[in-house]
Amino acid sequence: MDIIERYLEEVLVANETTNLTRIVSRESAEILHIEDSLSGLNYINEAPGGPYVDLGTGGGFPGVPLAVKTGRDTLLVDSVKKKTAIIQGIVDKLGISNVSTYAGRIEDLGREMPSHFAVATARALSQLPSLMELASPLLFEGGLLICYKSHLSDEERNHALSLEDKLGLKCIHEDTFTLSDGETTRCMFVMQKFKDAEVKLPRKTGLAQKRPLK
Ligand code: SAM
């Protein structure tokens, strides 16, 4: 069993006592966690060299599979300490030495490590305008934000595109495909940082998700 499979197995066992993921069957998790996470590999490989951050990592997806495959220094961020503590314990046990965790808000990380990362991912976290606002301060110029969306409405897409200049992120890929279960649709929305945001970021904690920029 490879290291990613072993990681998944540990997460599913831990999930019996702590809520890390709603996907409990091994068969579904193979597709919805491992295959889906790794569908971001081609995009992450386009990013410049440097550290990688997974925003709102939950049970460590897509962060851990992408960290293992790319070997990048990886930080998994989640505001729920119980989750990051479990994930840290599992990566330590498996000797995945390029992965560490940050228990806290993404906005606080943005204050502590501005322009530090070459790539950020976000799956099942927020709408695109919020993701752009949260990720922009963390990325250095040229860095990529890879958003895993299940469905993208015209309204959400257009709102995101209208914020490109304000947040310094430009869409470079928008791809939709189906996973191997034949039914799960994945939309990848990939943005590149081309300048610093025109507004001071991070705003007050919580605002990016509660009151997205217009
Ligand atoms: N990315 C994982 C996945 O796709 O399986 C987990 C998705 S889960 C629905 C969203 C996670 O984001 C939760 O664990 C939540 O605690 C975390 N989260 C939401 N907003 C956050 C913020 N502003 N800073 C840090 N973590 C946040």
Side-chain angles (χ1 to χ4, degrees):
M1 204 188 298
D2 77 8
I3 198 86
I4 298 174
E5 297 283 342
R6 286 173 62 201
Y7 177 77
L8 175 64
E9 194 163 274
E10 294 281 347
V11 168
L12 293 179
V13 170
N15 200 46
E16 287 167 16
T17 47
T18 306
N19 180 27
L20 294 170
T21 173
R22 276 181 297 138
I23 300 156
V24 290
S25 101
R26 174 78 195 225
E27 205 185 338
S28 305
E30 291 279 346
I31 296 170
L32 301 177
H33 282 324
I34 298 184
E35 181 188 326
D36 189 32
S37 294
L38 292 179
S39 67
L41 196 55
N42 286 342
Y43 304 100
I44 201 172
N45 284 338
E46 270 183 36
Y52 158 46
V53 61
D54 186 31
L55 307 174
T57 197
F61 301 103
V64 172
L66 288 176
V68 169
K69 286 290 182 190
T70 64
R72 286 179 190 258
D73 277 343
T74 298
L75 188 62
L76 309 175
V77 184
D78 205 287
S79 53
V80 180
K81 200 173 178 176
K82 212 162 148 189
K83 293 186 185 180
T84 54
I86 290 172
I87 301 312
Q88 187 69 61
I90 299 175
V91 297
D92 288 348
K93 178 176 169 185
L94 297 180
I96 308 175
S97 57
N98 58 324
V99 174
S100 51
T101 54
Y102 177 92
R105 303 273 314 189
I106 298 158
E107 297 93 320
D108 291 329
L109 184 67
R111 288 180 195 99
E112 288 169 35
M113 303 181 91
S115 306
H116 181 79
F117 295 93
V119 59
T121 53
R123 188 180 81 158
L125 177 60
S126 273
Q127 295 235 318
L128 288 176
S130 307
L131 299 181
M132 292 167 69
E133 180 175 341
L134 291 170
S136 179
L138 287 163
L139 294 170
F140 58 71
E141 223 175 283
L144 299 188
L145 166 62
I146 304 170
C147 306
Y148 289 62
K149 301 291 299 177
S150 44
H151 169 72
L152 196 49
S153 68
D154 286 345
E155 193 189 350
E156 182 179 350
R157 184 177 174 278
N158 291 338
H159 186 180
L161 295 178
S162 75
L163 291 171
E164 284 190 335
D165 278 330
K166 198 179 263 184
L167 295 176
L169 288 163
K170 196 170 247 342
C171 178
I172 57 165
H173 295 292
E174 192 184 341
D175 299 323
T176 302
F177 49 89
T178 305
L179 300 183
S180 66
D181 59 6
E183 58 191 35
T184 307
T185 302
R186 171 60 65 217
C187 174
M188 288 289 193
F189 198 86
V190 182
M191 309 199 87
Q192 184 161 40
K193 182 160 175 178
F194 65 99
K195 62 172 189 177
D196 283 335
E198 291 171 359
V199 285
K200 190 169 161 14
L201 297 179
R203 290 191 290 153
K204 207 173 140 217
T205 297
L207 283 185
Q209 285 155 296
K210 258 187 255 156
R211 226 183 303 148
L213 290 168
K214 296 279 175 228

